[in-house]
Amino acid sequence: MTPSELLVDAQKPSKYYVDYSSSCHNRVGTLSVEVLEMRGVRKCDLMGKSDPYAVFVFEDKAMKTDYISNCLNPVFPHKCKRAVKFPITTPAASLYVGGFDYDTDVTHTNIEDDDPLGRVVVKLSCLRPNTEYDVVYPLQHSELKRLKGERGYIRLRMMLNWEGNDRKVLTSYLKPQESMILATNDRKLWAASLYCIHGKHIGDEYNWNVFMSYVDELKGIAFLLQKPLLKFIMDIVFWRKPARSSFLFLSWQYLVLRPTYIPGFFVFSILAAAHDTYVTNARRRPKLHRVTPLYDIFLTLIGGGVFWKFCGIDAPTEAKDHPYVDFDDQLASLNLHNQHEKRGKAHSSELGVSDLMGGAEEEEAQPIKSKSKKGKKKVHVTKTSSVLSLNVLNPMSLVLGPLQIVLKNVCMGVRTANNLFTWKDPFVSFWTTSALFVLWIVVTIFPYAFFFFWLFRILGVVILGPQNAIIWWHLQKKKLKAKAEKAKDENERFRVLEIGCSICKVQFGLFNGKHHCRNCGEAVCGPCSQHKMKVEISMFGSEKGTLTPAKKKRVCDFCFRGEKVFDKEKRKKMKLEAKEADVDDSNVVLDGFKGAWSGVKKVGKGVAKGGELVGTGLVQGSMAVGEGVVDGTAMVGKGTGSLLKKTGKSLINLVGNQYTLEVPIERSMTKKFVDRPCVDQSFAKKIKEDKKRRKSKQS
């Protein structure tokens, strides 16, 4: 077909759809996406042009279209594989679309990835339901690159449909979102999906170009906000806007008399700014890109399951340029102008247009296949930098690396605030505005005088009240009790373990021997046991528990001075037992023989029983060892067979390219909310701008 016939054929409905929605039962809607054509893509093949194709990634599913061979402006016919239907389980999700150059797998190894052409992020909140969108998006490597159209354009046709109760779409924004994992067996599809989701720059590793992109973005935002803020202040001060000036003047005078209404006034000012930006985005934007009306959101929230559903929009492409310019477009134009000035001073005009990464990437402008001609290894498009990269050796990375993360967080916060106030995601802005409205009512009617009056009175009672004396007495009592228990535990430790003298607490050592008091039995050192006295009942040694009234024994200083208190009943009982054990000397020999014979009998019985137990233990141990050896051998053989089986299966899968790779998809509301989809109106306008820019470059 001729190019004109191809364009006509591409407008027809797609004949084949890859339908993922039929297998999903918890969906709240469906999203149909078709790629119609691409324009001005990069030349990536060494011999020839490029073989473009597209990859769609949504939630945990991905789909790859057919490729168009050797073409920089491919058009996808309606009979080729170009369309897909995704089920929607989270209305806050985003559609990721990437363009790639197909590389023929000659060696059947799939080692190299296809060359990336650019990516696009489309939030579902930017699409109205039951509306067919035929829009053009500029391809960009990531959100860091703000030169729209430098990498070409992609034309998509989309249709969003909500199913069942539309109220679920609104309430789903209030539920926590979980992370998803996209799993695939195709190595190239895995790399392409990773690029579509995260872009070229993955992670927070220090990079000078990334660092300067954040700096340029913040400088551009400050420059663009400078004039509107100055104009707003001048209009208020010099009464160019009488209504606003009079309102602020009267509010100032009233707040001086009633300072408790100052928090409510600030919240009301934020609400007024949100209303003003809503009116701006609802009226001044092109009809195709206007936000969902508030009345549509309210009625859907009230009667979404009964009498109301989200309304579609009928907005044909406008033939003439619309006067409204989005803030992101202004920032991109400003950065483009600044980069042209920088490149014009530092380089010749042959280098072309730089990106917004703080410098030119001349290697990207060249065909990617040409790098292999010089013997350089092809860089993996989704590979993150190694820990042993040169940035670790760069001393500036130690300072600028953390600062880059801070700048990134600041940029994300500014983007989030911009998206909230410009109603990029009307549902998030609606819930945020509703929360601010409730907060305004609360802070306005809150009784600050009553609250602070009683708060400080209660604080005075708590901090300086007379009850603190009782609290102090209780704390001191508790402290003394804890100290006594600690000392008691320390004494018990010395007494039980006998690691030191129970009197002076000096630990025993080579030059400080350990002795035992015969009166109390506790371990003491030499200096604390230098006295002897008669002891009725010996509490230590070979004569322990016997009566020794005629002998002087070594005792501790406390016992010698009579400072120790003993249990009289226990001492009396021990004394009686010692007297009963004190027998006549005539029976000593007989008792000795009886004791010896009894000991021999006990030893014999013990030896016989011990031998029996040892024999039984040896038999049982031998049986257990034998069973363990048999079971261990069987398990080792089974494990070895399983390992060999898995290894062989892995080798077969590796040779056949049948392994599963996973791509993490962040479902964080913040990240989803700061993505910036760039919606443009028509190909004719973009082609016209390209021609003008090329002419200006040549001149």
Side-chain angles (χ1 to χ4, degrees), residues 249-315:
F249 172 74
L250 295 176
S251 300
W252 184 294
Q253 300 300 324
Y254 183 75
L255 292 176
V256 171
L257 299 175
R258 304 281 184 174
T260 57
Y261 291 104
I262 292 178
F265 174 77
F266 279 109
V267 178
F268 179 79
S269 301
I270 297 174
L271 284 173
H275 175 267
D276 186 56
T277 54
Y278 168 77
V279 173
T280 301
N281 288 274
R283 295 180 181 178
R284 299 178 186 176
R285 272 188 176 184
K287 190 176 181 181
L288 182 64
H289 309 302
R290 291 178 183 174
V291 299
T292 304
L294 278 178
Y295 73 86
D296 199 357
I297 297 176
F298 274 118
L299 293 177
T300 304
L301 184 63
I302 296 172
V306 182
F307 61 87
W308 192 268
K309 296 181 72 67
F310 280 115
C311 301
I313 188 172
D314 183 14

Side-chain angles (χ1 to χ4, degrees), residues 349-549:
S349 60
E350 296 178 356
L351 294 179
V353 181
S354 66
D355 54 19
L356 295 186
M357 299 296 293
E361 295 183 5
E362 289 79 10
E363 291 183 357
E364 289 186 12
Q366 302 297 329
I368 298 178
K369 289 292 184 66
S370 63
K371 298 181 184 179
S372 60
K373 185 177 180 181
K374 299 180 181 179
K376 294 183 179 180
K377 185 178 179 181
K378 181 178 177 181
V379 180
H380 194 296
V381 297
T382 60
K383 183 179 180 182
T384 56
S385 300
S386 172
V387 178
L388 300 178
S389 61
L390 293 178
N391 284 331
V392 177
L393 304 178
N394 184 3
M396 294 302 296
S397 64
L398 301 176
V399 179
L400 298 182
L403 184 58
Q404 174 181 314
I405 298 176
V406 173
L407 291 177
K408 177 184 177 181
N409 295 331
V410 172
C411 287
M412 291 184 67
V414 173
R415 294 175 192 171
T416 303
N418 176 45
N419 292 339
L420 278 172
F421 281 96
T422 55
W423 294 75
K424 290 288 184 65
D425 192 329
F427 302 140
V428 174
S429 299
F430 167 75
W431 287 116
T432 305
T433 307
S434 302
L436 285 174
F437 182 77
V438 174
L439 179 64
W440 172 60
I441 295 176
V442 171
V443 299
T444 302
I445 65 176
F446 189 79
Y448 292 97
F450 176 82
F451 174 77
F452 286 108
F453 174 76
W454 283 104
L455 174 65
F456 285 107
R457 289 196 68 177
I458 294 173
L459 284 177
V461 172
V462 171
I463 297 175
L464 303 175
Q467 76 280 354
N468 293 340
I470 302 175
I471 296 174
W472 176 255
W473 172 81
H474 179 72
L475 292 176
Q476 289 296 108
K477 183 180 178 181
K478 189 175 180 181
K479 184 178 179 180
L480 293 174
K481 184 178 180 181
K483 189 176 180 180
E485 289 179 355
K486 184 178 179 181
K488 184 179 179 181
D489 293 341
E490 189 71 17
N491 293 333
E492 187 69 17
R493 185 172 70 91
F494 272 84
R495 188 185 68 80
V496 175
L497 300 179
E498 295 185 349
I499 60 176
C501 179
S502 61
I503 297 178
C504 62
K505 309 303 180 185
V506 176
Q507 293 190 2
F508 300 125
L510 181 62
F511 301 102
N512 184 28
K514 179 170 64 173
H515 305 277
H516 287 84
C517 176
R518 267 51 178 181
N519 189 42
C520 62
E522 293 186 356
V524 291
C525 62
C528 296
S529 59
Q530 296 179 355
H531 304 281
K532 290 184 178 182
M533 71 177 190
K534 292 182 179 181
V535 179
E536 291 184 347
I537 301 175
S538 179
M539 300 300 296
F540 189 82
S542 59
E543 299 177 350
K544 181 179 180 180
T546 61
L547 294 173
T548 57

